[in-house]
C-alpha cells in the first residue's frame, strides 16, 4: 500500500493556517479590486475537490489504498479553499463566497475510467502548481502572494502522489495503464492546439447537464478562468511550455522512453495501440 508512506510524507511538510500565513503583514493598499475578485473564484474552484472526491471514491471502489489516500488529498484541497475564504473573510468580507456559491460546484460527475481520471488529475495538479506560481507573481499584496506559494507547493506534491499511483498501475496493468496515461497526456499537453485551459475543472463531466457541466460553468462568473489566465496572471506560452515539459518529463521517466515533444508522445501512443505488449517486448 502506498497510502501509509504518502500520509507520512505529506504530514511532515504540512503548513499551518494559523502560523505559516503571515496575516499581520496584510497591506490593503496593495490589493486591487480585480485581484480580490480572482481570489473568490479560486476559492470556489478549490471547493470542487468535494464532487471530485465523491467521483474518485465511487470509481475506485475496488481500490482501498487509493481511496484512503483521498482522505489526505480531500483535506488539503478543502484547506486551499478555506485559506482563500479566510483571506477574504478577514480583508474583503463582501467577496467571501456564500455557502450557496460553494454548494453550486457540487454536482454528480459521470462515471469515468479510473486510470484516465488519475492521469487527468496528475496533469491538473502540475498545471495548477504553475498557475498558482504565476498568480503569486501577479498579486502585489504580500499575504495572498504567500498563500498562493503555499498552495502551489501542495499541488506539486499532489502530482507526486498521483505519480506513485501511476507507477503502481503500470506495475500491475502494464500497457493498459500506459495507453490510458499516454492518451490523456496527449490531451492535457495539447493546450496550444485546443486553445482551451486544460484542467479537470474546465472539462465536461456530466452528459445530462451539458453544456453546463464543468465546474467553471457553476461559478458566479463562468468566464473567469480564461480571463484570469490570459489577461490577469498572463499565463503565456512560456508558462504553458513549462507545464508541457513537466508532463513529458514525467511520462518519459514513467515509460522509460524519451519524449521531447507531444508528437513523440503521440507516436508512442499509436505504437501501444498497434502493437500487442508481447510483440513489442520481443522487438
Ligand atoms: Fe488545491
Ligand atoms: Fe491539488
Amino acid at each position: 500500500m502506498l497510502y501509509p508512506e504518502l500520509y507520512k510524507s505529506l504530514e511532515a511538510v504540512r503548513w499551518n493556517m494559523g502560523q505559516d500565513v503571515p496575516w499581520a503583514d496584510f497591506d490593503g493598499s496593495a490589493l486591487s479590486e480585480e485581484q480580490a475578485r480572482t481570489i473568490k473564484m479560486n476559492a470556489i474552484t478549490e471547493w470542487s475537490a468535494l464532487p471530485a472526491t465523491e467521483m474518485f471514491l465511487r470509481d475506485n471502489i475496488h481500490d482501498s489504498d487509493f481511496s484512503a489516500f483521498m482522505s489526505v488529498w480531500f483535506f488539503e484541497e478543502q484547506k486551499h479553499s478555506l485559506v482563500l475564504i479566510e483571506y477574504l473573510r478577514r480583508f474583503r468580507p463582501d467577496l467571501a463566497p456564500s455557502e450557496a456559491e460553494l454548494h453550486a460546484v457540487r454536482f454528480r460527475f459521470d462515471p469515468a475510467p479510473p486510470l484516465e481520471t488519475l492521469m487527468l488529475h496528475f496533469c491538473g495538479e502540475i498545471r495548477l502548481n504553475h498557475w498558482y506560481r504565476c498568480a503569486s507573481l501577479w498579486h502585489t499584496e504580500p499575504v495572498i502572494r504567500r498563500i498562493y506559494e503555499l498552495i502551489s507547493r501542495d499541488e506539486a506534491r499532489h502530482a507526486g502522489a498521483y505519480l506513485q499511483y501511476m507507477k503502481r498501475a503500470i506495475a500491475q496493468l502494464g500497457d493498459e495503464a500506459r495507453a490510458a496515461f499516454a492518451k490523456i497526456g496527449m490531451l492535457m499537453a495539447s493546450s496550444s492546439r485546443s486553445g482551451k485551459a486544460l484542467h479537470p475543472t474546465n472539462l465536461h463531466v456530466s452528459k445530462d447537464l451539458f453544456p453546463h457541466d464543468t465546474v467553471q460553468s457553476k461559478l458566479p462568473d463562468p468566464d473567469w478562468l480564461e480571463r484570469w489566465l490570459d489577461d490577469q496572471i498572463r499565463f503565456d506560452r512560456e508558462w504553458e511550455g513549462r507545464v508541457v515539459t513537466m508532463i513529458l518529463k514525467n511520462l518519459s521517466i514513467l515509460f522509460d522512453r524519451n519524449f521531447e515533444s507531444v508528437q513523440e508522445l503521440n507516436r508512442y501512443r499509436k505504437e501501444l495501440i498497434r502493437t500487442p505488449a508481447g510483440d513489442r517486448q520481443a522487438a
Side-chain angles (χ1 to χ4, degrees), residues 3-222:
Y3 167 63
E5 279 306 312
L6 285 172
Y7 179 93
K8 231 188 274 175
S9 67
L10 291 170
E11 179 94 319
V13 291
R14 185 157 297 136
W15 52 275
N16 181 294
M17 208 188 298
Q19 289 150 18
D20 297 321
V21 178
W23 299 108
D25 295 349
F26 179 72
D27 174 4
S29 67
L31 178 70
S32 71
E33 181 66 26
E34 70 160 343
Q35 286 171 334
R37 288 185 180 280
T38 68
I39 299 167
K40 173 174 182 163
M41 297 303 145
N42 275 148
I44 301 173
T45 302
E46 285 285 338
W47 194 267
S48 69
L50 173 50
T53 300
E54 290 172 322
M55 168 205 63
F56 271 128
L57 291 178
R58 179 198 58 202
D59 295 348
N60 288 279
I61 192 100
H62 58 284
D63 186 349
S64 288
D65 178 1
F66 184 76
S67 299
F69 168 67
M70 275 296 108
S71 67
V72 177
W73 182 77
F74 183 37
F75 167 77
E76 293 194 352
E77 299 296 6
Q78 289 293 137
K79 185 177 162 195
H80 294 173
S81 185
L82 191 59
V83 72
L84 296 169
I85 294 170
E86 176 62 15
Y87 180 88
L88 293 171
R89 194 189 65 77
R90 286 182 186 231
F91 308 125
R92 282 299 306 267
D94 56 312
L95 289 178
S98 68
E99 190 173 333
E101 285 173 324
L102 295 169
H103 188 66
V105 298
R106 186 180 191 181
F107 62 102
R108 188 180 175 277
F109 298 1
D110 288 340
L115 291 172
E116 297 183 9
T117 307
L118 178 62
M119 179 63 183
L120 189 65
H121 277 259
F122 167 72
C123 296
E125 299 284 1
I126 288 180
R127 188 168 287 279
L128 206 49
N129 161 264
H130 287 78
W131 284 356
Y132 285 161
R133 279 161 53 195
C134 186
S136 160
L137 296 171
W138 173 65
H139 276 278
T140 38
E141 196 290 307
V143 179
I144 195 65
R145 290 185 71 152
R146 178 70 183 141
I147 289 173
Y148 277 113
E149 276 170 22
L150 285 168
I151 62 180
S152 79
R153 286 180 203 161
D154 283 353
E155 311 301 10
R157 283 189 283 268
H158 295 162
Y162 284 142
L163 186 64
Q164 292 205 37
Y165 282 102
M166 289 161 63
K167 279 185 194 152
R168 189 197 61 169
I170 288 184
Q172 290 172 344
L173 302 166
D175 279 356
E176 183 191 345
R178 287 189 192 93
F181 299 157
K183 177 179 149 197
I184 301 297
M186 274 294 302
L187 170 77
M188 295 300 274
S190 300
S191 39
S192 53
R193 275 192 296 176
S194 75
K196 189 179 165 201
L198 293 173
H199 188 260
T201 63
N202 204 27
L203 299 178
H204 295 282
V205 288
S206 169
K207 274 199 190 88
D208 292 347
L209 298 176
F210 185 84
H212 305 293
D213 63 331
T214 66
V215 167
Q216 294 300 329
S217 73
K218 308 287 184 190
L219 260 52
D221 181 356

